[in-house]
Amino acid sequence: NQAMLREAELVQQMKELKKLIESKPIKIAAKIGAEGKMFGSISMKQVVDEFEKQTGVALDKRKINFVDNITTLGTYEIPIQLHKEVVATITVYVVEKE
């Protein structure tokens, strides 16, 4: 059945994409104030924009399962639902802008 084949193909493509996403951590530089606090925050839109800029892979921010903006430096594991059966994790290193 065509629909099942297409679905299986899609799942396979999403699994490949998951491997790609998980092999490409990204860095986002943030401005830090005197108190060591971040100016503003990093939105999931910035995460997908940066991901695309750094890897050439466009992701859909509506599929990200991470509700809050990022407000502190550190490493974030951000889940993205590529398919109902496939969840990838974007690794984001938030570092201080030099």
Side-chain angles (χ1 to χ4, degrees), residues 4-88:
M4 275 171 69
L5 270 175
R6 272 198 303 270
E7 185 64 19
E9 222 168 84
L10 181 65
V11 170
Q12 194 48 48
Q13 285 170 352
M14 291 304 122
K15 284 182 178 165
E16 294 297 317
L17 181 57
K18 171 186 166 81
K19 265 188 227 150
L20 179 76
I21 289 170
E22 293 184 347
S23 71
K24 293 184 183 293
I26 62 164
K27 252 187 194 140
I28 298 179
K31 264 195 175 147
I32 303 299
E35 306 287 292
K37 284 201 168 67
M38 221 163 94
F39 283 119
S41 62
I42 294 167
S43 68
M44 290 307 115
K45 178 183 184 335
Q46 281 169 285
V47 170
V48 294
D49 290 350
E50 268 311 307
F51 193 85
E52 185 170 2
K53 216 184 287 174
Q54 292 179 35
T55 67
V57 179
L59 300 173
D60 182 348
K61 84 168 176 41
R62 293 170 305 194
K63 296 191 169 166
I64 287 184
N65 300 335
F66 194 89
V67 283
D68 302 320
N69 285 348
I70 296 172
T71 55
T72 55
L73 297 179
T75 303
Y76 294 84
E77 305 276 311
I78 298 175
I80 180 165
Q81 187 88 41
L82 301 174
H83 182 274
K84 62 180 185 292
E85 296 171 34
V86 186
V87 177

